[in-house]
Amino acid sequence: MLNVTSPWALILSLLTAIVSISYYNNNPSAPEIRSPHCASWNAWYNPLRSGQVGYQANDWNILYHLGGNGPWIEKIDELETPGLEPPKGCVIDQVHMISRHGERYPTKSAGSRHLALLNRIKEANVVLNGSLSFLNNWTYFTDEPQKDFDQLTKTSPYAGTLQAFSTGVRFLTRYGHLLPLHGTTRLWASECNRVIETAQHFASGFFGLDWEKTEKAALEIIPETLERGADTLTPGDTCPKYIEDPAKGHDNGVNMLALFQDVYIPAIAERLINDENNSALGYLTNLEVYGMQEMCGFETLSRGSSPWCDIFTHDDWENFEYARDLIHYYRAGPGNPYAGAMGWLWLNATTGLLRSGPEAGTMFFSFVHDGDIAPLVTAMDILKDPKYDPFLPTTHRVEDRVWRTSSVMPMGGRIVFERLTCPTSSAKDPSGEEAFLRVNINDKIVPLPYCKSGPGLSCPLKEFVDHVERRRSEVGDFGEVCGLEKDVGYITFLRQG
């Protein structure tokens, strides 16, 4: 296991982030980024807090248009929903979280595209004009790309290490009453360095820096390998048909993305090259312009801001956001026929624990990738779109879509299931209790569109269980959908004790 949770490692990460924040706040060239940023204090749980008081929906903020390539942000939408405190008289007696890893550098594939473009610009040996003139005196945001690619960022206000640690502290603030007095709490992470490190830093924030030594918690690493079948946190790696299907499988997301890139990117390339007198650079391809937009988010994660953000218009960014929505929609969302069955695995395991209640354990924390959260969102039917599903257009951007992922699956994005026990009174049982489910996505309570009759727009647990059982018949059995024979068919490791 990686040794990233030593006190010195965490202290160094925190100090680095503090220095970065100080630089950012005193740097006049840094663009204004309004609340929320990083781990927003506006969304911190307080028993007296009654609603969302942070980011306003009419306040345009680039962090909400980076399509998962930016820092953690609070979820926003036009709906008025309850605050984070439990409904009056209710208590949270069990909590489940599935979280994307914290803020990271680009993957090797994306980073290689960035470096190829920058090398081409360097070899052209020309002076750039207009919005690209910053490149005459700019360096890439990592001096050691082959070392940093795929890893968590450790600098700027958006350090992935800091975000994971502060999320653990935030959860301790909200759910500290669920800590068991004795025994060890299990956490789960898929077998990838950045995912493992995220889980470790989260555990340090929640259970204390000495969580491994004192055995307050134990991290179980789940391999991202094909032979795991249904018993996995990463079903996209264990579903053979999904992997191999060229038309409707994993690659469908990239294919649909390319179609929309053809729609919105050529006009940007024309503006940057011809309108701004950069014809000496030659033609910019779709992937090169797309890479420029990617670098806005990734440089922001490592430096706190980026000049790449300023060369694109609001409309360009909303198109980029839509492009990112498309890749998720068709790769592992409602536009992919395998997604529902893949997402149902974690949903089913968690629903069983919700039915059992706190006797089965009070806390369950899982850490994965965005490609593993999209199937869960699909299986939950929480972003179901009666107008467009399962064909989100690639010929133009649609503003009235339900599928918006920037504030659902940012770096560090998390979906939390809270089991509520609330008083209920009836003629037969005037002093009884009933269980309900509440969903919290990135610090916003999100009512289930098909079930919100409980306190604070929660869902009666019995109704939620019925919905999950119905969804299995709709999305199909994982083994059958994926072409697996004699598969176990469900997750076995998600348990305490």
Side-chain angles (χ1 to χ4, degrees):
M1 184 179 296
L2 299 175
N3 184 23
V4 298
T5 55
S6 70
W8 285 114
L10 285 167
I11 290 171
L12 180 60
S13 175
L14 291 170
L15 288 176
T16 302
I18 290 170
V19 171
S20 299
I21 293 171
S22 176
Y23 167 80
Y24 175 80
N25 288 338
N26 293 284
N27 181 7
S29 66
E32 178 186 3
I33 299 180
R34 292 183 286 276
S35 177
H37 58 83
C38 200
S40 171
W41 299 99
N42 289 328
W44 202 275
Y45 166 69
N46 185 301
L48 301 179
R49 187 168 169 267
S50 60
Q52 297 292 324
V53 297
Y55 177 81
Q56 300 299 312
N58 61 354
D59 188 7
W60 198 93
N61 184 330
I62 194 172
L63 300 186
Y64 284 83
H65 304 280
L66 295 177
N69 287 342
W72 183 87
I73 46 177
E74 301 165 32
K75 188 180 187 305
I76 60 165
D77 53 43
E78 301 295 334
L79 300 176
E80 291 291 332
T81 58
L84 299 176
E85 70 283 354
K88 185 176 181 180
C90 301
V91 296
I92 298 172
D93 58 20
Q94 193 183 68
V95 61
H96 303 259
M97 176 187 72
I98 187 166
S99 173
R100 187 186 181 191
H101 55 73
E103 288 82 347
R104 61 162 170 79
Y105 286 99
T107 59
K108 287 184 174 66
S109 59
S112 296
R113 293 199 308 271
H114 304 162
L115 295 179
L117 169 63
L118 297 174
N119 287 336
R120 185 169 80 80
I121 293 174
K122 182 179 179 180
E123 291 172 359
N125 194 28
V126 297
V127 175
L128 296 176
N129 304 301
S131 59
L132 294 180
S133 61
F134 75 91
L135 283 169
N136 297 322
N137 187 28
W138 180 85
T139 58
Y140 197 54
F141 41 87
T142 168
D143 294 329
E144 300 180 278
Q146 298 311 316
K147 175 183 175 183
D148 288 337
F149 284 162
D150 290 314
Q151 307 305 317
L152 296 183
T153 55
K154 297 179 174 62
T155 57
S156 94
Y158 308 115
T161 51
L162 175 63
Q163 188 271 341
F165 181 82
S166 64
T167 299
V169 176
R170 179 182 301 224
F171 272 50
L172 179 62
T173 305
R174 295 177 185 166
Y175 307 119
H177 66 285
L178 297 178
L179 277 167
L181 296 177
H182 307 286
T184 301
T185 300
R186 293 183 184 178
L187 301 86
W188 299 270
S190 65
E191 193 173 22
C192 173
N193 283 354
R194 62 182 177 271
V195 180
I196 295 170
E197 287 192 24
T198 299
Q200 290 173 323
H201 283 292
F202 172 88
S204 294
F206 191 96
F207 298 100
L209 299 180
D210 59 350
W211 60 274
E212 287 183 291
K213 182 178 179 181
T214 60
E215 297 184 348
K216 292 180 182 177
L219 179 60
E220 184 175 343
I221 299 171
I222 309 300
E224 299 181 358
T225 53
L226 183 65
E227 62 268 17
R228 294 289 303 190
D231 199 17
T232 183
L233 285 175
T234 52
D237 294 319
T238 66
C239 180
K241 284 189 176 180
Y242 171 73
I243 297 170
E244 298 165 2
D245 187 341
K248 297 296 183 180
H250 175 275
D251 292 346
N252 194 33
V254 173
N255 297 337
M256 294 299 185
L257 168 67
L259 294 177
F260 185 64
Q261 287 173 329
D262 282 335
V263 172
Y264 87 95
I265 287 182
I268 300 176
E270 175 74 14
R271 182 181 77 229
L272 296 178
I273 295 299
N274 294 328
D275 296 355
E276 298 188 7
N277 298 317
N278 290 310
S279 57
L281 185 59
Y283 182 74
L284 289 172
T285 68
N286 286 354
L287 284 180
E288 288 177 330
V289 174
Y290 187 75
M292 291 176 174
Q293 292 189 290
E294 287 179 316
M295 282 191 277
C296 161
F298 287 118
E299 185 177 18
T300 297
L301 293 180
S302 59
R303 287 178 171 166
S305 62
S306 173
W308 289 108
C309 303
D310 299 327
I311 73 174
F312 301 101
T313 67
H314 285 191
D315 189 62
D316 295 337
W317 283 118
E318 288 171 8
N319 279 328
F320 179 78
E321 175 192 8
Y322 188 69
R324 296 290 302 169
D325 285 343
L326 283 172
I327 194 171
H328 286 302
Y329 187 86
Y330 287 104
R331 184 177 66 186
N336 189 290
Y338 301 94
M342 296 192 301
W344 191 84
L345 294 175
W346 191 90
L347 179 62
N348 176 57
T350 298
T351 301
L353 294 166
L354 289 165
R355 293 180 69 177
S356 298
E359 292 77 14
T362 55
M363 298 180 295
F364 299 83
F365 302 132
S366 301
F367 298 84
V368 294
H369 305 270
D370 55 353
D372 308 307
I373 294 178
L376 170 64
V377 173
T378 304
M380 288 174 65
D381 247 358
I382 200 167
L383 294 182
K384 186 177 179 62
D385 193 326
K387 182 175 182 179
Y388 295 110
D389 286 350
F391 302 108
L392 199 59
T394 58
T395 55
H396 62 287
R397 183 179 82 229
V398 292
E399 298 293 349
D400 58 344
R401 68 191 184 277
V402 177
W403 183 258
R404 292 178 180 269
T405 60
S406 288
S407 63
V408 174
M409 297 184 293
M411 303 287 183
R414 52 188 179 264
I415 298 178
V416 178
F417 288 12
E418 296 175 339
R419 187 184 189 275
L420 305 172
T421 297
C422 305
T424 181
S425 60
S426 65
K428 294 182 179 180
D429 188 6
S431 59
E433 292 181 333
E434 185 177 353
F436 298 86
L437 171 72
R438 190 170 71 158
V439 177
N440 178 333
I441 300 180
N442 295 328
D443 287 357
K444 181 179 179 65
I445 302 303
V446 179
L448 299 174
Y450 44 82
C451 179
K452 48 189 174 182
S453 62
L457 300 179
S458 63
C459 176
L461 186 57
K462 292 180 181 178
E463 293 184 28
F464 181 72
V465 170
D466 290 342
H467 177 78
V468 172
E469 291 178 351
R470 285 195 302 271
R471 282 297 284 158
R472 182 178 186 180
S473 63
E474 295 170 356
V475 302
D477 175 77
F478 181 81
E480 294 179 4
V481 170
C482 294
L484 294 171
E485 295 182 3
K486 300 179 180 178
D487 183 72
V488 66
Y490 55 89
I491 291 175
T492 67
F493 56 82
L494 208 63
R495 63 183 187 280
Q496 298 292 355

PDB file of all heavy atoms in Angstrom, residues 236-259:
ATOM      1  N   GLY A 236     -16.994  -1.467 -15.657  1.00  0.00           N
ATOM      2  CA  GLY A 236     -16.595  -1.240 -17.038  1.00  0.00           C
ATOM      3  C   GLY A 236     -15.357  -2.025 -17.437  1.00  0.00           C
ATOM      4  O   GLY A 236     -15.096  -2.212 -18.628  1.00  0.00           O
ATOM      5  N   ASP A 237     -14.611  -2.503 -16.437  1.00  0.00           N
ATOM      6  CA  ASP A 237     -13.422  -3.309 -16.701  1.00  0.00           C
ATOM      7  C   ASP A 237     -13.709  -4.803 -16.652  1.00  0.00           C
ATOM      8  O   ASP A 237     -12.816  -5.609 -16.947  1.00  0.00           O
ATOM      9  CB  ASP A 237     -12.323  -2.986 -15.676  1.00  0.00           C
ATOM     10  CG  ASP A 237     -11.805  -1.571 -15.802  1.00  0.00           C
ATOM     11  OD1 ASP A 237     -11.636  -1.114 -16.940  1.00  0.00           O
ATOM     12  OD2 ASP A 237     -11.572  -0.921 -14.766  1.00  0.00           O
ATOM     13  N   THR A 238     -14.929  -5.179 -16.267  1.00  0.00           N
ATOM     14  CA  THR A 238     -15.228  -6.600 -16.084  1.00  0.00           C
ATOM     15  C   THR A 238     -16.388  -7.076 -16.935  1.00  0.00           C
ATOM     16  O   THR A 238     -16.870  -8.194 -16.760  1.00  0.00           O
ATOM     17  CB  THR A 238     -15.545  -6.884 -14.596  1.00  0.00           C
ATOM     18  OG1 THR A 238     -16.758  -6.212 -14.228  1.00  0.00           O
ATOM     19  CG2 THR A 238     -14.419  -6.425 -13.688  1.00  0.00           C
ATOM     20  N   CYS A 239     -16.840  -6.237 -17.855  1.00  0.00           N
ATOM     21  CA  CYS A 239     -17.967  -6.581 -18.731  1.00  0.00           C
ATOM     22  C   CYS A 239     -17.440  -6.787 -20.149  1.00  0.00           C
ATOM     23  O   CYS A 239     -17.235  -5.810 -20.892  1.00  0.00           O
ATOM     24  CB  CYS A 239     -19.010  -5.466 -18.707  1.00  0.00           C
ATOM     25  SG  CYS A 239     -20.468  -5.756 -19.742  1.00  0.00           S
ATOM     26  N   PRO A 240     -17.176  -8.026 -20.560  1.00  0.00           N
ATOM     27  CA  PRO A 240     -16.534  -8.278 -21.864  1.00  0.00           C
ATOM     28  C   PRO A 240     -17.278  -7.684 -23.051  1.00  0.00           C
ATOM     29  O   PRO A 240     -16.651  -7.097 -23.946  1.00  0.00           O
ATOM     30  CB  PRO A 240     -16.493  -9.809 -21.936  1.00  0.00           C
ATOM     31  CG  PRO A 240     -16.502 -10.261 -20.511  1.00  0.00           C
ATOM     32  CD  PRO A 240     -17.371  -9.274 -19.794  1.00  0.00           C
ATOM     33  N   LYS A 241     -18.581  -7.839 -23.111  1.00  0.00           N
ATOM     34  CA  LYS A 241     -19.325  -7.318 -24.253  1.00  0.00           C
ATOM     35  C   LYS A 241     -19.212  -5.800 -24.343  1.00  0.00           C
ATOM     36  O   LYS A 241     -19.094  -5.230 -25.437  1.00  0.00           O
ATOM     37  CB  LYS A 241     -20.797  -7.742 -24.164  1.00  0.00           C
ATOM     38  CG  LYS A 241     -21.048  -9.194 -24.522  1.00  0.00           C
ATOM     39  CD  LYS A 241     -22.545  -9.474 -24.618  1.00  0.00           C
ATOM     40  CE  LYS A 241     -22.814 -10.904 -25.079  1.00  0.00           C
ATOM     41  NZ  LYS A 241     -24.278 -11.173 -25.183  1.00  0.00           N
ATOM     42  N   TYR A 242     -19.248  -5.136 -23.213  1.00  0.00           N
ATOM     43  CA  TYR A 242     -19.106  -3.682 -23.174  1.00  0.00           C
ATOM     44  C   TYR A 242     -17.744  -3.257 -23.708  1.00  0.00           C
ATOM     45  O   TYR A 242     -17.627  -2.293 -24.472  1.00  0.00           O
ATOM     46  CB  TYR A 242     -19.292  -3.203 -21.732  1.00  0.00           C
ATOM     47  CG  TYR A 242     -18.967  -1.754 -21.469  1.00  0.00           C
ATOM     48  CD1 TYR A 242     -19.806  -0.739 -21.913  1.00  0.00           C
ATOM     49  CD2 TYR A 242     -17.824  -1.403 -20.755  1.00  0.00           C
ATOM     50  CE1 TYR A 242     -19.512   0.597 -21.654  1.00  0.00           C
ATOM     51  CE2 TYR A 242     -17.532  -0.078 -20.485  1.00  0.00           C
ATOM     52  CZ  TYR A 242     -18.376   0.916 -20.939  1.00  0.00           C
ATOM     53  OH  TYR A 242     -18.080   2.234 -20.676  1.00  0.00           O
ATOM     54  N   ILE A 243     -16.719  -3.986 -23.327  1.00  0.00           N
ATOM     55  CA  ILE A 243     -15.361  -3.670 -23.762  1.00  0.00           C
ATOM     56  C   ILE A 243     -15.184  -3.920 -25.253  1.00  0.00           C
ATOM     57  O   ILE A 243     -14.532  -3.135 -25.959  1.00  0.00           O
ATOM     58  CB  ILE A 243     -14.346  -4.506 -22.958  1.00  0.00           C
ATOM     59  CG1 ILE A 243     -14.418  -4.143 -21.466  1.00  0.00           C
ATOM     60  CG2 ILE A 243     -12.923  -4.309 -23.487  1.00  0.00           C
ATOM     61  CD1 ILE A 243     -13.633  -5.088 -20.577  1.00  0.00           C
ATOM     62  N   GLU A 244     -15.789  -4.980 -25.759  1.00  0.00           N
ATOM     63  CA  GLU A 244     -15.535  -5.425 -27.125  1.00  0.00           C
ATOM     64  C   GLU A 244     -16.498  -4.856 -28.161  1.00  0.00           C
ATOM     65  O   GLU A 244     -16.198  -4.863 -29.360  1.00  0.00           O
ATOM     66  CB  GLU A 244     -15.596  -6.956 -27.167  1.00  0.00           C
ATOM     67  CG  GLU A 244     -14.533  -7.621 -26.299  1.00  0.00           C
ATOM     68  CD  GLU A 244     -14.810  -9.097 -26.060  1.00  0.00           C
ATOM     69  OE1 GLU A 244     -15.827  -9.599 -26.627  1.00  0.00           O
ATOM     70  OE2 GLU A 244     -14.059  -9.733 -25.314  1.00  0.00           O
ATOM     71  N   ASP A 245     -17.648  -4.360 -27.739  1.00  0.00           N
ATOM     72  CA  ASP A 245     -18.660  -3.873 -28.682  1.00  0.00           C
ATOM     73  C   ASP A 245     -18.219  -2.528 -29.273  1.00  0.00           C
ATOM     74  O   ASP A 245     -18.216  -1.505 -28.585  1.00  0.00           O
ATOM     75  CB  ASP A 245     -19.990  -3.711 -27.939  1.00  0.00           C
ATOM     76  CG  ASP A 245     -21.137  -3.366 -28.880  1.00  0.00           C
ATOM     77  OD1 ASP A 245     -20.880  -2.911 -30.008  1.00  0.00           O
ATOM     78  OD2 ASP A 245     -22.305  -3.534 -28.459  1.00  0.00           O
ATOM     79  N   PRO A 246     -17.845  -2.471 -30.563  1.00  0.00           N
ATOM     80  CA  PRO A 246     -17.322  -1.223 -31.145  1.00  0.00           C
ATOM     81  C   PRO A 246     -18.397  -0.174 -31.381  1.00  0.00           C
ATOM     82  O   PRO A 246     -18.089   1.018 -31.477  1.00  0.00           O
ATOM     83  CB  PRO A 246     -16.710  -1.685 -32.471  1.00  0.00           C
ATOM     84  CG  PRO A 246     -17.511  -2.896 -32.849  1.00  0.00           C
ATOM     85  CD  PRO A 246     -17.866  -3.576 -31.544  1.00  0.00           C
ATOM     86  N   ALA A 247     -19.637  -0.602 -31.478  1.00  0.00           N
ATOM     87  CA  ALA A 247     -20.711   0.336 -31.828  1.00  0.00           C
ATOM     88  C   ALA A 247     -21.416   0.897 -30.603  1.00  0.00           C
ATOM     89  O   ALA A 247     -21.713   2.093 -30.537  1.00  0.00           O
ATOM     90  CB  ALA A 247     -21.727  -0.360 -32.739  1.00  0.00           C
ATOM     91  N   LYS A 248     -21.683   0.053 -29.609  1.00  0.00           N
ATOM     92  CA  LYS A 248     -22.478   0.485 -28.460  1.00  0.00           C
ATOM     93  C   LYS A 248     -21.753   0.350 -27.128  1.00  0.00           C
ATOM     94  O   LYS A 248     -22.329   0.640 -26.087  1.00  0.00           O
ATOM     95  CB  LYS A 248     -23.783  -0.328 -28.402  1.00  0.00           C
ATOM     96  CG  LYS A 248     -24.695  -0.142 -29.593  1.00  0.00           C
ATOM     97  CD  LYS A 248     -25.208   1.298 -29.682  1.00  0.00           C
ATOM     98  CE  LYS A 248     -26.190   1.465 -30.836  1.00  0.00           C
ATOM     99  NZ  LYS A 248     -26.682   2.864 -30.934  1.00  0.00           N
ATOM    100  N   GLY A 249     -20.503  -0.084 -27.152  1.00  0.00           N
ATOM    101  CA  GLY A 249     -19.761  -0.290 -25.913  1.00  0.00           C
ATOM    102  C   GLY A 249     -19.024   0.949 -25.441  1.00  0.00           C
ATOM    103  O   GLY A 249     -19.441   2.092 -25.702  1.00  0.00           O
ATOM    104  N   HIS A 250     -17.897   0.731 -24.771  1.00  0.00           N
ATOM    105  CA  HIS A 250     -17.121   1.805 -24.163  1.00  0.00           C
ATOM    106  C   HIS A 250     -16.730   2.887 -25.172  1.00  0.00           C
ATOM    107  O   HIS A 250     -16.805   4.089 -24.881  1.00  0.00           O
ATOM    108  CB  HIS A 250     -15.866   1.206 -23.519  1.00  0.00           C
ATOM    109  CG  HIS A 250     -14.920   2.222 -22.968  1.00  0.00           C
ATOM    110  ND1 HIS A 250     -13.962   2.857 -23.748  1.00  0.00           N
ATOM    111  CD2 HIS A 250     -14.777   2.719 -21.712  1.00  0.00           C
ATOM    112  CE1 HIS A 250     -13.280   3.699 -22.995  1.00  0.00           C
ATOM    113  NE2 HIS A 250     -13.743   3.632 -21.755  1.00  0.00           N
ATOM    114  N   ASP A 251     -16.330   2.490 -26.366  1.00  0.00           N
ATOM    115  CA  ASP A 251     -15.811   3.451 -27.346  1.00  0.00           C
ATOM    116  C   ASP A 251     -16.886   4.329 -27.970  1.00  0.00           C
ATOM    117  O   ASP A 251     -16.567   5.302 -28.672  1.00  0.00           O
ATOM    118  CB  ASP A 251     -15.060   2.719 -28.457  1.00  0.00           C
ATOM    119  CG  ASP A 251     -13.772   2.087 -27.952  1.00  0.00           C
ATOM    120  OD1 ASP A 251     -13.337   2.443 -26.834  1.00  0.00           O
ATOM    121  OD2 ASP A 251     -13.207   1.224 -28.658  1.00  0.00           O
ATOM    122  N   ASN A 252     -18.139   4.018 -27.714  1.00  0.00           N
ATOM    123  CA  ASN A 252     -19.212   4.819 -28.289  1.00  0.00           C
ATOM    124  C   ASN A 252     -19.163   6.257 -27.783  1.00  0.00           C
ATOM    125  O   ASN A 252     -19.554   7.187 -28.491  1.00  0.00           O
ATOM    126  CB  ASN A 252     -20.573   4.199 -27.979  1.00  0.00           C
ATOM    127  CG  ASN A 252     -21.682   4.783 -28.835  1.00  0.00           C
ATOM    128  OD1 ASN A 252     -21.458   5.157 -29.995  1.00  0.00           O
ATOM    129  ND2 ASN A 252     -22.867   4.854 -28.277  1.00  0.00           N
ATOM    130  N   GLY A 253     -18.677   6.451 -26.566  1.00  0.00           N
ATOM    131  CA  GLY A 253     -18.570   7.800 -26.029  1.00  0.00           C
ATOM    132  C   GLY A 253     -17.616   8.655 -26.842  1.00  0.00           C
ATOM    133  O   GLY A 253     -17.931   9.806 -27.199  1.00  0.00           O
ATOM    134  N   VAL A 254     -16.448   8.124 -27.155  1.00  0.00           N
ATOM    135  CA  VAL A 254     -15.467   8.858 -27.954  1.00  0.00           C
ATOM    136  C   VAL A 254     -15.993   9.093 -29.365  1.00  0.00           C
ATOM    137  O   VAL A 254     -15.777  10.159 -29.957  1.00  0.00           O
ATOM    138  CB  VAL A 254     -14.132   8.093 -27.986  1.00  0.00           C
ATOM    139  CG1 VAL A 254     -13.155   8.759 -28.942  1.00  0.00           C
ATOM    140  CG2 VAL A 254     -13.529   8.020 -26.588  1.00  0.00           C
ATOM    141  N   ASN A 255     -16.699   8.118 -29.915  1.00  0.00           N
ATOM    142  CA  ASN A 255     -17.245   8.267 -31.264  1.00  0.00           C
ATOM    143  C   ASN A 255     -18.253   9.408 -31.336  1.00  0.00           C
ATOM    144  O   ASN A 255     -18.244  10.211 -32.275  1.00  0.00           O
ATOM    145  CB  ASN A 255     -17.901   6.957 -31.709  1.00  0.00           C
ATOM    146  CG  ASN A 255     -16.909   5.811 -31.811  1.00  0.00           C
ATOM    147  OD1 ASN A 255     -15.706   6.034 -31.966  1.00  0.00           O
ATOM    148  ND2 ASN A 255     -17.396   4.587 -31.722  1.00  0.00           N
ATOM    149  N   MET A 256     -19.136   9.484 -30.352  1.00  0.00           N
ATOM    150  CA  MET A 256     -20.138  10.550 -30.334  1.00  0.00           C
ATOM    151  C   MET A 256     -19.497  11.900 -30.039  1.00  0.00           C
ATOM    152  O   MET A 256     -19.919  12.936 -30.570  1.00  0.00           O
ATOM    153  CB  MET A 256     -21.231  10.225 -29.311  1.00  0.00           C
ATOM    154  CG  MET A 256     -22.052   9.001 -29.672  1.00  0.00           C
ATOM    155  SD  MET A 256     -22.918   9.227 -31.265  1.00  0.00           S
ATOM    156  CE  MET A 256     -23.888   7.726 -31.333  1.00  0.00           C
ATOM    157  N   LEU A 257     -18.478  11.900 -29.186  1.00  0.00           N
ATOM    158  CA  LEU A 257     -17.745  13.126 -28.918  1.00  0.00           C
ATOM    159  C   LEU A 257     -17.164  13.696 -30.202  1.00  0.00           C
ATOM    160  O   LEU A 257     -17.252  14.902 -30.464  1.00  0.00           O
ATOM    161  CB  LEU A 257     -16.624  12.842 -27.914  1.00  0.00           C
ATOM    162  CG  LEU A 257     -15.576  13.942 -27.726  1.00  0.00           C
ATOM    163  CD1 LEU A 257     -16.192  15.171 -27.090  1.00  0.00           C
ATOM    164  CD2 LEU A 257     -14.403  13.435 -26.894  1.00  0.00           C
ATOM    165  N   ALA A 258     -16.572  12.844 -31.032  1.00  0.00           N
ATOM    166  CA  ALA A 258     -15.950  13.295 -32.274  1.00  0.00           C
ATOM    167  C   ALA A 258     -16.966  13.959 -33.203  1.00  0.00           C
ATOM    168  O   ALA A 258     -16.646  14.943 -33.889  1.00  0.00           O
ATOM    169  CB  ALA A 258     -15.272  12.124 -32.977  1.00  0.00           C
ATOM    170  N   LEU A 259     -18.190  13.432 -33.220  1.00  0.00           N
ATOM    171  CA  LEU A 259     -19.220  14.028 -34.071  1.00  0.00           C
ATOM    172  C   LEU A 259     -19.524  15.456 -33.649  1.00  0.00           C
ATOM    173  O   LEU A 259     -19.674  16.354 -34.490  1.00  0.00           O
ATOM    174  CB  LEU A 259     -20.493  13.176 -34.018  1.00  0.00           C
ATOM    175  CG  LEU A 259     -20.409  11.766 -34.617  1.00  0.00           C
ATOM    176  CD1 LEU A 259     -21.724  11.028 -34.423  1.00  0.00           C
ATOM    177  CD2 LEU A 259     -20.045  11.837 -36.098  1.00  0.00           C
TER     178      LEU A 259
END
